[in-house]
Amino acid sequence: MVTVKWYGHCCYQIQNTATILTDPHDGPSLGLPTPDSQPDIVTISHPHEDHASGRHLFPDATILEEPTHTQIKGATITGVKAYHDDAKGARLGPNTIFVIEVASIRFAHTGDLGHPLNERHLKEMGHVDILMQGIGREPERAEENIAKLNPKVVMPMHYNTPGIIFPWFQLPEVDDFIRDKPHRRLGGNEAIYTHDTLPETTEVHVFSLEK
């Protein structure tokens, strides 16, 4: 059993024997609540403010921010080298995809992936059950990478949410992304998953920060 909690934007908590927090914001800089997590591990896909401004909140956590392969408290974590743009990082820098396996469920958090996944990425990532995918600036690219990975669950991130402060570009609406896709609105920011109860075909699961 794995508990997943969404703190807004690209910050998800994955909890089983270890508590893992992805791309932590600090809350106020994005107009969102501060994550109330106590993680063992923090993964940071890249150092841009909206993905890393909260790293100082967790001084006791192990910080992972480079391509790596490690096991910590029952979680196996692989960092896969990628880029934030389609020019091998020349414009926006590197971006690490983190694949996290806990309780026989394989999660992938793509950060701000800015290009199509190639054969190397797919081989290093392996099978993905639950994909945390930014829809951000280029939803069509997100669609392409989802099709390549064919996960059981897609958890969208990096989209417009009530109150968010994001001055860099207009964030897309999640309603546009889920239209014509099998989806579930979870009605809160937390859900429990087991390997045996994952859907047979891809579903989009939408969390909410509104209680």
Side-chain angles (χ1 to χ4, degrees):
M1 183 178 76
V2 182
T3 302
V4 177
K5 191 171 185 178
W6 185 54
Y7 290 109
H9 203 50
C10 298
C11 186
Y12 279 97
Q13 177 180 278
I14 300 166
Q15 189 170 37
N16 180 257
T17 53
T19 299
I20 303 156
L21 192 68
T22 67
D23 282 9
H25 59 77
D26 63 4
S29 66
L30 286 178
L32 299 173
T34 300
D36 61 351
S37 180
Q38 295 182 316
D40 302 296
I41 305 155
V42 171
T43 64
I44 297 175
S45 63
H46 64 292
H48 290 181
E49 178 182 352
D50 57 316
H51 294 256
S53 61
R55 65 180 296 159
H56 68 281
L57 300 174
F58 313 107
D60 297 327
T62 298
I63 306 290
L64 302 177
E65 51 190 329
E66 300 287 345
T68 186
H69 182 76
T70 188
Q71 292 183 319
I72 303 174
K73 294 187 68 173
T76 301
I77 302 173
T78 300
V80 177
K81 181 179 180 180
Y83 300 100
H84 194 331
D85 55 45
D86 58 3
K88 295 188 175 181
R91 293 195 306 274
L92 296 171
N95 178 82
T96 302
I97 301 165
F98 283 99
V99 179
I100 301 162
E101 183 169 356
V102 288
S104 299
I105 301 177
R106 290 176 59 84
F107 296 81
H109 185 285
T110 59
D112 266 356
L113 180 64
H115 55 83
L117 294 168
N118 62 30
E119 290 302 317
R120 176 184 65 80
H121 301 123
L122 296 173
K123 182 178 179 180
E124 292 184 21
M125 292 173 73
H127 173 72
V128 172
D129 295 304
I130 297 180
L131 177 64
M132 296 166 170
Q133 173 67 50
I135 59 176
R137 195 192 302 264
E138 297 178 314
E140 298 82 5
R141 182 159 290 162
E143 301 269 13
E144 179 182 350
N145 287 328
I146 290 167
K148 288 180 177 180
L149 290 166
N150 192 29
K152 299 296 187 184
V153 174
V154 175
M155 297 177 178
M157 55 188 189
H158 212 297
Y159 58 85
N160 192 34
T161 48
I164 195 168
I165 300 169
F166 194 84
W168 296 281
F169 60 87
Q170 179 63 47
L171 290 168
E173 300 296 329
V174 74
D175 287 357
D176 294 333
F177 177 73
I178 66 175
R179 187 173 294 122
D180 301 324
K181 293 182 178 67
H183 65 271
R184 290 175 54 201
R185 294 183 183 274
L186 301 180
N189 73 332
E190 188 171 321
I192 293 173
Y193 294 87
T194 66
H195 186 271
D196 292 342
T197 57
L198 293 172
E200 290 295 319
T201 57
T202 303
E203 288 183 359
V204 182
H205 289 188
V206 181
F207 292 77
S208 173
L209 295 179
E210 299 177 308
K211 301 289 177 83

